[in-house]
Amino acid sequence: MSTSLTTCEWKKVFYEKMEVAKPADSWELIIDPNLKPNELAPGWKQYLEQHASGRFHCSWCWHTWQSPHVVILFHMHLDRAQRMGSVHMRVFKQLCYECGMARQEESSMLEENIESLVDNLITSLREQCYDEDGGQYRIHVASRPDSGPHRSEFCEACQEGIVHWKPSQKLLEEEATYTSGASKPMLQEGSGYSFFSLRWCLFWASLCLLIVYLQVSLHGSVFL
C-alpha cells in the first residue's frame, strides 16, 4: 500500500530523478510557502501544476477530504555557466469546509502521485531551462471519481487569483478517452450476455413446445 510522502521525501524523489535526467548539473529543491505566481526574478521560469491529487486533514475537527484540484507552483532557474539549478516550490493549502476554522491545511500525497508530478516538473525544466523537447506531460486521471464541485472559497490558490479548477482541453480529451475505453469492454460483455440469454430462451421454449406436443399426441392416441 502506498504511503504519504513528507517534504524530505519530495526532495528525495526530485534529486533521484534529476540525477538521471541531468547528471552533469547540480539541482536543489526549496520549499517556499511565500512563492507568488507570475512574480519572477530575471532569468527565472514558472511551471504551474493545476490538477494534482491530494488528501487534507483538519487539525481542528479531524475531518479529512480528498481533492483533485491541488495547485503546486514551481519557479525554476538554471545557471548554465556554473551548471547549477534551483527550483522553488509551493503547494497551496485548503480550508476545512466542515468546521469553518480559518486554518489552512497542508495536503499529503501518495508516492505515485509525487513521482508523476516530478516527471511533469522535469519535462517543464527541459523545455524552459534547456530548450529541449521535454516530452509528454502526465495527466492525473487517477484522481477520479471527483468528490464534487470545487469550492473556491476554501482554496488558497483560488483566493490568490489562480483560476485552475476548470479542466483543460487536454484533460477533457483524456477523460473522453478514458470513458470510452472503459465502456467498450462493458458493451462487449453485455452483448455476449444478451446473445447467450436469447439462445437459452429459445432452447427452453422449443423444449416446452416439444413436451406439450408429445403430451397432446399421447393424449390423442389414448382416446383413439
Side-chain angles (χ1 to χ4, degrees), residues 2-202:
S2 300
T3 56
S4 297
L5 295 187
T6 64
T7 299
C8 292
E9 290 167 315
W10 257 98
K11 294 183 177 182
K12 177 176 178 293
V13 173
F14 174 75
Y15 294 146
E16 288 178 350
K17 287 183 176 289
M18 284 305 298
E19 183 65 27
V20 174
K22 293 295 176 181
D25 297 339
S26 177
W27 281 87
E28 64 175 352
L29 177 65
I30 299 174
I31 308 300
D32 184 357
N34 298 315
L35 207 63
K36 299 293 184 182
N38 303 318
E39 295 185 7
L40 297 166
W44 285 74
K45 308 295 183 180
Q46 175 174 292
Y47 170 61
L48 185 67
E49 182 68 57
Q50 303 183 58
H51 300 289
S53 178
R55 177 170 291 277
F56 294 84
H57 177 82
C58 180
S59 57
W60 181 261
C61 71
W62 306 107
H63 173 65
T64 61
W65 68 97
Q66 183 82 16
S67 175
H69 303 295
V70 180
V71 175
I72 307 176
L73 176 64
F74 299 97
H75 286 180
M76 311 165 291
H77 179 263
L78 172 63
D79 187 332
R80 293 180 180 270
Q82 298 294 328
R83 303 194 69 92
M84 297 180 63
S86 180
V87 175
H88 290 203
M89 167 187 165
R90 177 185 178 184
V91 182
F92 286 86
K93 303 175 183 179
Q94 292 186 12
L95 287 170
C96 176
Y97 56 85
E98 286 289 335
C99 66
M101 294 298 294
R103 177 183 174 85
Q104 299 280 359
E105 301 294 347
E106 297 181 352
S107 66
S108 61
M109 296 181 182
L110 300 180
E111 183 174 357
E112 58 266 27
N113 291 343
I114 295 284
E115 291 186 352
S116 65
L117 292 169
V118 172
D119 286 339
N120 283 352
L121 171 60
I122 294 176
T123 297
S124 183
L125 280 171
R126 286 181 177 274
E127 293 175 349
Q128 298 195 73
C129 296
Y130 291 95
D131 298 322
E132 299 176 354
D133 181 8
Q136 187 174 3
Y137 287 85
R138 297 179 63 178
I139 303 297
H140 304 288
V141 295
S143 62
R144 261 191 289 352
D146 199 340
S147 56
H150 181 60
R151 304 176 68 171
S152 59
E153 66 271 25
F154 298 100
C155 175
E156 185 181 34
C158 289
Q159 296 305 308
E160 295 199 14
I162 300 176
V163 181
H164 66 97
W165 58 269
K166 293 183 179 180
S168 62
Q169 183 63 33
K170 188 174 183 181
L171 188 62
L172 292 175
E173 292 174 356
E174 183 72 17
E175 177 74 20
T177 303
Y178 176 89
T179 305
S180 61
S183 61
K184 286 181 180 179
M186 294 177 62
L187 291 173
Q188 293 174 355
E189 183 180 355
S191 300
Y193 178 79
S194 300
F195 172 76
F196 286 112
S197 297
L198 180 61
R199 187 173 68 177
W200 280 107
C201 287
L202 292 174

